[in-house]
Amino acid sequence: MSDLYLDEEYVRVLGKGSKERLVPISPKAIQELGYWFDDRQLMNIKPGEEDYVFLNRRGAHLTRTMILIMIKAQAKEAGIQKTISPHTLRHSFATALLEGGADLRFIQALLGHENIGTTEIYTHIDTSTLRQEILEHHPRNMKHQQD
């Protein structure tokens, strides 16, 4: 709870190696958190667990294992055959940002990568998407489209 800055629309995330970064949070996500906080207030929260945002039915924080189980269950319910993990979601997030035109340095900062090379490898672009972007946006090709 102490890492949420909802008025400023960001959350502080502590990643691997205690790397700290600030990640923007959308107004819709903030609204959904508000609904969760209404329900959360009705819970019997275990002592020492008060600062955790997400809790299980017993009032204790969610473990990494429990989050993995929840993600896999949701993927199965959605009919997704591929193995899904938190890392898959992270990768999809980065790829969607990149394909949406986000700057690679911005994605690097959000992911907490020290080296831009890590981000470049991490956010692969399939060759058909890359080819289409070149065809649509390369100046020499655009010249031919106008003819």
Side-chain angles (χ1 to χ4, degrees):
M1 299 291 284
S2 59
D3 290 329
L4 293 175
Y5 300 90
L6 301 181
D7 291 338
E8 293 86 3
E9 298 184 337
Y10 73 89
V11 59
R12 183 173 48 165
V13 177
L14 195 62
K16 265 190 202 176
S18 297
K19 287 183 194 171
E20 185 180 292
R21 61 193 172 278
L22 302 176
V23 179
I25 185 168
S26 72
K28 175 68 173 163
I30 292 170
Q31 179 183 18
E32 294 297 328
L33 279 172
Y35 298 143
W36 165 245
F37 294 148
D38 291 343
D39 290 341
R40 188 180 181 279
Q41 287 180 331
L42 304 174
M43 297 177 75
N44 183 19
I45 300 172
K46 289 189 174 184
E49 303 288 298
E50 299 87 0
D51 197 40
Y52 288 96
V53 174
F54 298 109
L55 305 169
N56 62 26
R57 284 181 237 146
R58 294 180 303 280
H61 70 277
L62 299 178
T63 64
R64 290 174 56 130
T65 303
M66 190 64 220
I67 292 169
L68 179 60
I69 290 168
M70 292 166 67
I71 289 171
K72 287 185 179 212
Q74 289 297 309
K76 184 177 180 180
E77 190 175 314
I80 298 170
Q81 302 295 318
K82 183 179 175 185
T83 302
I84 304 293
S85 69
H87 187 78
T88 308
L89 298 178
R90 178 178 160 89
H91 184 79
S92 297
F93 168 74
T95 302
L97 285 174
L98 188 64
E99 288 176 355
D103 182 81
L104 198 58
R105 294 276 181 199
F106 173 75
I107 297 168
Q108 176 188 7
L110 285 177
L111 296 177
H113 292 157
E114 288 182 23
N115 185 327
I116 192 72
T118 305
T119 310
E120 289 170 341
I121 293 166
Y122 190 89
T123 56
H124 79 283
I125 307 173
D126 71 58
T127 54
S128 63
T129 301
L130 186 59
R131 183 179 186 284
Q132 187 60 36
E133 288 295 311
I134 291 170
L135 290 174
E136 287 180 22
H137 301 291
H138 191 279
R140 289 192 180 188
N141 192 51
M142 292 173 76
K143 188 190 258 184
H144 294 293
Q145 288 178 346
Q146 294 171 357
D147 294 340

